Amino acid sequence: MTWDRRAFLTTCLGTAALSRVFGQVQQPISPTPTPRDWSKMEPVQYPDPDIVALDSRFRRYIVNNTVIRRLHIGTLWAEGPAWNGVGRYLVWSDIPNNVQMRWIEEDGRVTTFRSPSGYSNGNTFDYEGRQLSCEHGGRRVVRYEPNGTITVVAEKFQGKRLNSPNDIVVHPDGGIWFTDPTYGIRGNYEGFKGEQELKEAVYRADSKTGQIDKVTDEVGGPNGICFSPDYKKLYVADTGMPRDIKVYDVDGKALRNGKRFIQLDIPGTGAPSAADGIRCDVDGNIWAGARPGVQVIAPSGERIGMIRLPETCANVCFGGQRRNRLFMTASQSLYVVYVETTGAHIA
């Protein structure tokens, strides 16, 4: 007679009880953040309960003795975070208030960085350290030069005005890639109401020649955009229908083999969600501003983690001296948390 301890325990305890014995019960996943007073510097028990591993692969990215911090509150719709490594500051947009804000790492001060900002949305820095911004108000992409002047990178395509450039990334070859949905011309809250002249699309502007090319118009609401660590793939968040993230192979100045990367929902509920801003870490994971805060997707397309926030998170970026701090622009606030990875790109 053979003795099967597991079978014996199953008979005596039942499957559910056995699973608890062996630590296999999956606790229900809640999208609701843990109640806390964000206005006070009160301690939170480690590990932060709102940094949630949905898959064991995410555990390596959690710093167990750190917590999410709110750095600022007071914006109307926070967007477009970008890290300046030389100045050691974060710049981000408050679109309805028509300003850009700055958080200074050295002393934690927050200042108004640029007012007016052209109702800017997405921001980044190029390989020469110059800031690039997507303006809803001017329906254009601009670059701020070291002497304070503004260079218009893109405002028309084939003689027609762009809609409202939204988010932006740079390539080492000098290419400036940006999305152009219509969100900034639909009303007078985040820009100026205007007529749509071009279909929503993703463009590449050549910083050296000024040439502008449309790389795809297959995305209904092109929003967040980022490259893979090796620049061989481009990810585009679609906040139109069907509200997914698409991925393309980068072939020089063109895109090939576009397909769905992932369609998000709210973990634990199945209710629809969608990625807004997206950034990639050095391991190829995508960190997406998506309800209930930030969702993290492995390079293979499976969701592995989330960060719950009390507000809708529009966009994210990696920054800090070691590029291991995740900054999150979420509606009225700016949040940050240390993570055990670094950003794949310069801003």
Side-chain angles (χ1 to χ4, degrees), residues 255-270:
L255 298 179
R256 304 277 185 258
N257 306 318
K259 62 182 180 181
R260 172 178 288 177
F261 178 63
I262 192 172
Q263 187 173 38
L264 296 173
D265 61 14
I266 299 177
T269 71

mmCIF file of all heavy atoms in Angstrom, residues 255-270:
data_model
loop_
_atom_site.group_PDB
_atom_site.id
_atom_site.type_symbol
_atom_site.label_atom_id
_atom_site.label_comp_id
_atom_site.label_asym_id
_atom_site.label_seq_id
_atom_site.Cartn_x
_atom_site.Cartn_y
_atom_site.Cartn_z
ATOM 1 N N LEU A 255 7.216 51.891 -40.144
ATOM 2 C CA LEU A 255 6.719 50.855 -39.245
ATOM 3 C C LEU A 255 6.214 49.674 -40.050
ATOM 4 O O LEU A 255 5.661 49.834 -41.146
ATOM 5 C CB LEU A 255 5.580 51.405 -38.373
ATOM 6 C CG LEU A 255 5.916 52.558 -37.431
ATOM 7 C CD1 LEU A 255 4.670 53.000 -36.673
ATOM 8 C CD2 LEU A 255 7.023 52.161 -36.444
ATOM 9 N N ARG A 256 6.382 48.480 -39.488
ATOM 10 C CA ARG A 256 5.928 47.255 -40.139
ATOM 11 C C ARG A 256 5.225 46.364 -39.107
ATOM 12 O O ARG A 256 5.438 46.478 -37.913
ATOM 13 C CB ARG A 256 7.124 46.471 -40.717
ATOM 14 C CG ARG A 256 7.987 47.266 -41.696
ATOM 15 C CD ARG A 256 7.401 47.261 -43.095
ATOM 16 N NE ARG A 256 8.295 47.916 -44.045
ATOM 17 C CZ ARG A 256 8.129 49.152 -44.514
ATOM 18 N NH1 ARG A 256 7.074 49.859 -44.120
ATOM 19 N NH2 ARG A 256 9.005 49.675 -45.359
ATOM 20 N N ASN A 257 4.400 45.478 -39.612
ATOM 21 C CA ASN A 257 3.825 44.372 -38.828
ATOM 22 C C ASN A 257 3.087 44.834 -37.573
ATOM 23 O O ASN A 257 3.285 44.307 -36.478
ATOM 24 C CB ASN A 257 4.922 43.368 -38.430
ATOM 25 C CG ASN A 257 5.717 42.874 -39.620
ATOM 26 O OD1 ASN A 257 5.150 42.588 -40.670
ATOM 27 N ND2 ASN A 257 7.033 42.801 -39.472
ATOM 28 N N GLY A 258 2.228 45.821 -37.721
ATOM 29 C CA GLY A 258 1.460 46.305 -36.583
ATOM 30 C C GLY A 258 0.471 45.263 -36.079
ATOM 31 O O GLY A 258 -0.170 44.559 -36.859
ATOM 32 N N LYS A 259 0.357 45.145 -34.768
ATOM 33 C CA LYS A 259 -0.581 44.195 -34.169
ATOM 34 C C LYS A 259 -0.930 44.638 -32.756
ATOM 35 O O LYS A 259 -0.272 45.518 -32.181
ATOM 36 C CB LYS A 259 0.010 42.788 -34.137
ATOM 37 C CG LYS A 259 1.279 42.669 -33.300
ATOM 38 C CD LYS A 259 1.847 41.253 -33.356
ATOM 39 C CE LYS A 259 3.125 41.135 -32.525
ATOM 40 N NZ LYS A 259 3.696 39.764 -32.588
ATOM 41 N N ARG A 260 -1.975 44.020 -32.203
ATOM 42 C CA ARG A 260 -2.339 44.313 -30.822
ATOM 43 C C ARG A 260 -1.302 43.719 -29.875
ATOM 44 O O ARG A 260 -0.916 42.558 -30.005
ATOM 45 C CB ARG A 260 -3.723 43.748 -30.497
ATOM 46 C CG ARG A 260 -4.087 43.848 -29.017
ATOM 47 C CD ARG A 260 -5.474 43.328 -28.740
ATOM 48 N NE ARG A 260 -6.480 44.243 -29.248
ATOM 49 C CZ ARG A 260 -7.793 44.027 -29.201
ATOM 50 N NH1 ARG A 260 -8.245 42.883 -28.671
ATOM 51 N NH2 ARG A 260 -8.648 44.898 -29.667
ATOM 52 N N PHE A 261 -0.881 44.537 -28.909
ATOM 53 C CA PHE A 261 0.029 44.070 -27.864
ATOM 54 C C PHE A 261 -0.763 43.593 -26.660
ATOM 55 O O PHE A 261 -0.545 42.496 -26.147
ATOM 56 C CB PHE A 261 0.986 45.203 -27.480
ATOM 57 C CG PHE A 261 1.940 44.869 -26.377
ATOM 58 C CD1 PHE A 261 2.876 43.856 -26.535
ATOM 59 C CD2 PHE A 261 1.917 45.567 -25.177
ATOM 60 C CE1 PHE A 261 3.769 43.539 -25.516
ATOM 61 C CE2 PHE A 261 2.800 45.276 -24.160
ATOM 62 C CZ PHE A 261 3.727 44.257 -24.327
ATOM 63 N N ILE A 262 -1.717 44.413 -26.191
ATOM 64 C CA ILE A 262 -2.579 44.030 -25.081
ATOM 65 C C ILE A 262 -3.786 44.956 -25.048
ATOM 66 O O ILE A 262 -3.711 46.121 -25.461
ATOM 67 C CB ILE A 262 -1.820 44.096 -23.730
ATOM 68 C CG1 ILE A 262 -2.637 43.425 -22.621
ATOM 69 C CG2 ILE A 262 -1.475 45.529 -23.377
ATOM 70 C CD1 ILE A 262 -1.885 43.282 -21.299
ATOM 71 N N GLN A 263 -4.897 44.428 -24.582
ATOM 72 C CA GLN A 263 -6.088 45.227 -24.290
ATOM 73 C C GLN A 263 -6.334 45.122 -22.786
ATOM 74 O O GLN A 263 -6.517 44.025 -22.257
ATOM 75 C CB GLN A 263 -7.298 44.737 -25.075
ATOM 76 C CG GLN A 263 -8.525 45.626 -24.942
ATOM 77 C CD GLN A 263 -9.647 45.188 -25.867
ATOM 78 O OE1 GLN A 263 -9.886 44.001 -26.070
ATOM 79 N NE2 GLN A 263 -10.341 46.159 -26.448
ATOM 80 N N LEU A 264 -6.326 46.248 -22.104
ATOM 81 C CA LEU A 264 -6.373 46.257 -20.649
ATOM 82 C C LEU A 264 -7.798 46.331 -20.106
ATOM 83 O O LEU A 264 -8.698 46.882 -20.744
ATOM 84 C CB LEU A 264 -5.579 47.448 -20.107
ATOM 85 C CG LEU A 264 -4.078 47.466 -20.391
ATOM 86 C CD1 LEU A 264 -3.472 48.791 -19.933
ATOM 87 C CD2 LEU A 264 -3.372 46.298 -19.714
ATOM 88 N N ASP A 265 -7.957 45.752 -18.916
ATOM 89 C CA ASP A 265 -9.145 45.997 -18.118
ATOM 90 C C ASP A 265 -8.680 46.385 -16.724
ATOM 91 O O ASP A 265 -7.486 46.490 -16.457
ATOM 92 C CB ASP A 265 -10.088 44.786 -18.101
ATOM 93 C CG ASP A 265 -9.424 43.541 -17.502
ATOM 94 O OD1 ASP A 265 -8.347 43.667 -16.855
ATOM 95 O OD2 ASP A 265 -9.971 42.440 -17.667
ATOM 96 N N ILE A 266 -9.631 46.651 -15.818
ATOM 97 C CA ILE A 266 -9.279 46.983 -14.448
ATOM 98 C C ILE A 266 -9.143 45.680 -13.674
ATOM 99 O O ILE A 266 -10.116 44.923 -13.569
ATOM 100 C CB ILE A 266 -10.342 47.887 -13.801
ATOM 101 C CG1 ILE A 266 -10.445 49.203 -14.577
ATOM 102 C CG2 ILE A 266 -10.001 48.158 -12.338
ATOM 103 C CD1 ILE A 266 -11.528 50.134 -14.059
ATOM 104 N N PRO A 267 -7.966 45.366 -13.161
ATOM 105 C CA PRO A 267 -7.768 44.086 -12.463
ATOM 106 C C PRO A 267 -8.794 43.869 -11.353
ATOM 107 O O PRO A 267 -9.106 44.776 -10.586
ATOM 108 C CB PRO A 267 -6.352 44.222 -11.894
ATOM 109 C CG PRO A 267 -5.670 45.178 -12.810
ATOM 110 C CD PRO A 267 -6.726 46.162 -13.207
ATOM 111 N N GLY A 268 -9.321 42.665 -11.317
ATOM 112 C CA GLY A 268 -10.265 42.296 -10.284
ATOM 113 C C GLY A 268 -11.710 42.590 -10.592
ATOM 114 O O GLY A 268 -12.609 42.144 -9.885
ATOM 115 N N THR A 269 -11.960 43.357 -11.671
ATOM 116 C CA THR A 269 -13.335 43.714 -12.007
ATOM 117 C C THR A 269 -13.727 43.335 -13.423
ATOM 118 O O THR A 269 -14.893 43.098 -13.697
ATOM 119 C CB THR A 269 -13.565 45.229 -11.845
ATOM 120 O OG1 THR A 269 -12.871 45.933 -12.888
ATOM 121 C CG2 THR A 269 -13.077 45.711 -10.492
ATOM 122 N N GLY A 270 -12.772 43.337 -14.329
ATOM 123 C CA GLY A 270 -13.078 43.103 -15.728
ATOM 124 C C GLY A 270 -13.628 44.326 -16.435
ATOM 125 O O GLY A 270 -13.882 44.300 -17.650
#
